[in-house]
Amino acid sequence: MYSGMIIIDGNRIRFSVDDWRVMLAIKTLRQKLRQVTAQSFRDPGRQLSPQQQSWLIIWEKMVDYHVNGKANGDLHGMGS
């Protein structure tokens, strides 16, 4: 059931989302990033797969988009 809230780390961080699609996208990204970091900690010398690299690129673009005042990049099209 969609409640409009994402709660991380036992109520330490709360996000309000407007749409269930946004919630699903955040949940999927969080899961994929957890897998990438777990694999990196298990085998630090191993290269990331192209799929794992693409998840990191998406995350970096999202962070850059919000940190730099929404000035850099095209978040929706993931261009450039």
Side-chain angles (χ1 to χ4, degrees):
M1 186 178 280
Y2 173 69
S3 66
M5 294 290 292
I6 294 176
I7 299 171
I8 299 174
D9 198 19
N11 280 338
R12 287 189 189 195
I13 302 172
R14 288 180 164 185
F15 292 103
S16 174
V17 292
D18 296 331
D19 188 7
W20 65 270
R21 291 176 186 97
V22 173
M23 185 177 73
L24 186 61
I26 291 171
K27 190 173 181 178
T28 302
L29 180 62
R30 186 171 167 227
Q31 178 186 26
K32 296 298 182 178
L33 289 175
R34 183 181 299 156
Q35 290 172 358
V36 169
T37 54
Q39 188 261 323
S40 294
F41 281 119
R42 273 184 266 145
D43 195 2
R46 185 175 174 200
Q47 290 286 344
L48 296 175
S49 71
Q51 185 67 30
Q52 290 172 328
Q53 289 175 356
S54 68
W55 284 111
L56 284 178
I57 290 168
I58 292 169
W59 177 75
E60 288 172 355
K61 285 185 178 187
M62 286 179 63
V63 170
D64 188 45
Y65 180 81
H66 290 286
V67 168
N68 293 324
K70 302 174 183 166
N72 293 342
D74 177 18
L75 186 62
H76 296 289
M78 291 298 166
S80 68

